[in-house]
Amino acid sequence: MVSGTATGRWRRLYDSAVNVKWFGAKGNGDDDSAALVKSVEYAVTTGSDLYFPPLTYIQGNGTDKDIRLVINGANGITIYGYGATIQAHSSNPTTVNCAGFVITNSKNITVKGLTYDGRLDTRTALGNDNAAVNMQHGFYIVNSNNNIKLIDVTATRCMMDGVDIGSRNDYYPPFTVPTNIVLQNIISTYNYRQGLSCGSVNGLVITGGSYSFTGKLNKTTAPSFGIDFEGNAVTDTLVNVSVANTLLEGNVGGGVSFHKASKYIKFSGSTIQNNEGPAINFSNTSGGGSTVENCLLINNCISGAEAIDIKMNDYNSRLINNKIFSSTKQAINATGLTANAARRIITGNYIEGTKKVAGVPCGSVIISASAMGGDVFEDNMLVDIEQLGGGFKSVQIDGPGAVVRNNYLYTSIAATTSNGFYVQKSDDVIYENNVETGYVLAAPNSTRYMKSTKNLNYLATQSAPLISGNGAPDGVITAPPGSIYRRLDGSSRNVLYVKESGIDNTGWVVYYAPGIATTAVAGMVKQSAAMADSGAASVAALVGDFNLLLSKLRTAGMLAV
């Protein structure tokens, strides 16, 4: 329509999403930064949705100018563009002005389908971690945001983090905590510092996606994790967070870290594999109470300085029902570096393939608690754990009030000075219903007060063990064929059992050396003396031969006297 001005001009009447091309964006290799900034500003001011057609839009021209896409004070808009890429110019300087999306002081915002490419491969990254560097994220959600959703977006080759939520800074004051953030199917890959950093948040749901290959472009700064929950201070707010069904792969620093301020985070159903550092790091400065459950951990810590898959140096963290394929290093290290390092729960996990490495006294699990103690190691299965001698322990517990219960341990290489479960310097430890098999050559040890009941220690200088315990083994004791079970509470005819078949808890058959046979009990008998065929020609002679046979049977013990 024609406006009512004296000179006359056209005004667009449109109530759907606006298009970045309307503001001059071309997507043809030229610098589109000015058009992109104007389009985002218009969407924020008018409350309009903004659409990016599926093209590659170059952001910047190599000069230091403000090209950030800032969503500030907006409410209820969606910015979307499946197949569209916003790509930093290959020679943009490393300054605050040349970052990606910034969402601040806004609510009910959705960004979906877009890719941001920071071109870390060609740009010069700063080697420190000051405030300017911290702004170089692909997607930055900071301050009093509420109900912000990133859906199906990709952040790659960013100059700092792919996605950053709630990190403190001096550029968007005053600092407040973002709330109700959703990250769905995010691909954050080949970034400089982290796939995702979370400094402060109250309410964050992460589902699907991948946070991988941080630092793999030979440019990185610590911590270089896939996901890092780390406030600037332990007093920050980092609560009500859940992560499910994500992939953390190939990161230089490690998979996921629970660090400053992180508290009661739930991490589940995810795969953590092929990271150079630890798969999971529970830091001694975390707020505690976080849980990792139902996850798959494969071949982590492949080239890091520490040969540990999972570090649990915090308070009340939980490791539940995970599958851990360690292959060449220690699986779990839960040590007491601070007074709060205690009351960790490790239960229902399957651990396979750990080995002793230089300088590590325990090849699978070590739990060394503070004076608070109270750690729980329960219902875990450890298989193919290598014993390499030299005082090696498969599972070492050192802390008061620990519970070590219902665990199964199979070690795979013989050694003359090794332990399976090793409990030391621990008051009031409950150690019960544990099974050790394979090449366990030393019994559990304690120098204090250990309550030990119903544990089975297999003498296993061979693959089929000798087992001792109370009660019949059939339906109770799992062992390979050829195993022998010695029943400590057995009677004269059910002391020894042999495992004839199966690899489960069935197939046990009682075995005993028979005594003298009686009319009531089978026993050992001798072969009777030889007797020629009868040549009796009369009834009397036949009776004589028959009575001779009965005599020989009685003498051999085959017939009662």
Side-chain angles (χ1 to χ4, degrees), residues 232-560:
N232 288 61
V234 294
T235 55
D236 282 346
T237 299
L238 216 170
V239 295
N240 298 323
V241 177
S242 67
V243 183
N245 304 318
T246 61
L247 172 64
L248 280 65
E249 180 178 18
N251 298 287
V252 169
V256 58
S257 179
F258 303 88
H259 202 50
K260 293 178 184 177
S262 60
K263 186 182 296 185
Y264 302 114
I265 294 171
K266 184 176 181 180
F267 193 98
S268 65
S270 299
T271 298
I272 308 174
Q273 64 185 22
N274 300 326
N275 295 284
E276 294 187 20
I280 302 168
N281 176 39
F282 292 99
S283 166
N284 59 356
T285 62
S286 74
S290 293
T291 299
V292 175
E293 63 181 352
N294 299 318
C295 291
L296 177 62
L297 283 61
I298 304 174
N299 194 36
N300 294 286
C301 211
I302 56 179
S303 61
E306 293 182 289
I308 301 170
D309 276 336
I310 303 169
K311 298 173 65 177
M312 300 181 72
N313 298 332
D314 63 343
Y315 173 77
N316 200 29
S317 57
R318 293 169 169 83
L319 197 66
I320 302 173
N321 296 337
N322 300 284
K323 294 182 178 179
I324 304 163
F325 296 89
S326 185
S327 75
T328 59
K329 72 264 324 152
Q330 191 176 38
I332 302 171
N333 186 299
T335 54
L337 300 181
T338 68
N340 291 331
R343 297 183 183 176
R344 294 149 297 191
I345 297 175
I346 304 169
T347 182
N349 300 284
Y350 177 88
I351 303 171
E352 179 178 321
T354 60
K355 299 181 181 180
K356 182 182 179 184
V357 294
V360 180
C362 175
S364 186
V365 177
I366 181 170
I367 301 174
S368 179
S370 68
M372 294 177 66
D375 292 310
V376 176
F377 189 77
E378 186 174 34
D379 296 321
N380 301 287
M381 177 175 284
L382 301 88
V383 299
D384 196 21
I385 310 301
E386 286 199 0
Q387 295 275 33
L388 299 182
F392 177 87
K393 294 93 178 174
S394 294
V395 178
Q396 178 173 323
I397 311 295
D398 182 3
V403 177
V404 184
R405 181 165 52 202
N406 301 333
N407 300 288
Y408 175 89
L409 168 65
Y410 173 75
T411 55
S412 59
I413 294 181
T416 58
T417 58
S418 299
N419 293 84
F421 291 99
Y422 185 85
V423 184
Q424 64 173 352
K425 300 178 182 178
S426 301
D427 293 334
D428 299 321
V429 169
I430 297 175
Y431 179 79
E432 63 183 13
N433 298 330
N434 299 288
V435 176
E436 302 179 35
T437 184
Y439 289 94
V440 177
L441 299 179
N445 179 58
S446 176
T447 59
R448 295 281 183 94
Y449 308 105
M450 182 172 69
K451 302 172 184 178
S452 178
T453 59
K454 298 181 180 178
N455 300 289
L456 295 175
N457 303 313
Y458 294 9
L459 175 60
T461 54
Q462 53 200 14
S463 59
L466 171 63
I467 311 164
S468 298
N470 294 323
D474 202 51
V476 178
I477 303 300
T478 298
S483 300
I484 298 173
Y485 176 82
R486 185 166 59 95
R487 181 172 175 174
L488 301 178
D489 61 349
S491 63
S492 61
R493 293 184 176 271
N494 62 358
V495 171
L496 203 62
Y497 294 76
V498 176
K499 188 72 157 52
E500 290 189 346
S501 62
I503 59 173
D504 56 4
N505 58 13
T506 63
W508 289 99
V509 176
V510 66
Y511 177 83
Y512 60 90
I516 300 299
T518 70
T519 56
V521 179
M524 184 179 295
V525 296
K526 298 184 296 182
Q527 189 178 46
S528 70
M531 182 174 177
D533 293 341
S534 175
S538 65
V539 172
L542 181 61
V543 169
D545 286 347
F546 181 72
N547 287 335
L548 179 59
L549 173 62
L550 293 179
S551 176
K552 290 184 177 183
L553 291 176
R554 290 188 185 99
T555 300
M558 295 181 181
L559 191 66

Side-chain angles (χ1 to χ4, degrees), residues 20 23 25 32-44 50 52 59-60 65-71 97 99-100:
V20 294
F23 299 86
D32 283 323
S33 58
L36 300 183
V37 169
K38 288 178 182 178
S39 64
V40 171
E41 288 176 347
Y42 179 86
V44 169
L50 179 62
F52 286 71
Q59 184 198 31
K65 59 180 181 177
D66 193 349
I67 55 177
R68 293 169 296 172
L69 304 176
V70 180
I71 303 170
N97 289 330

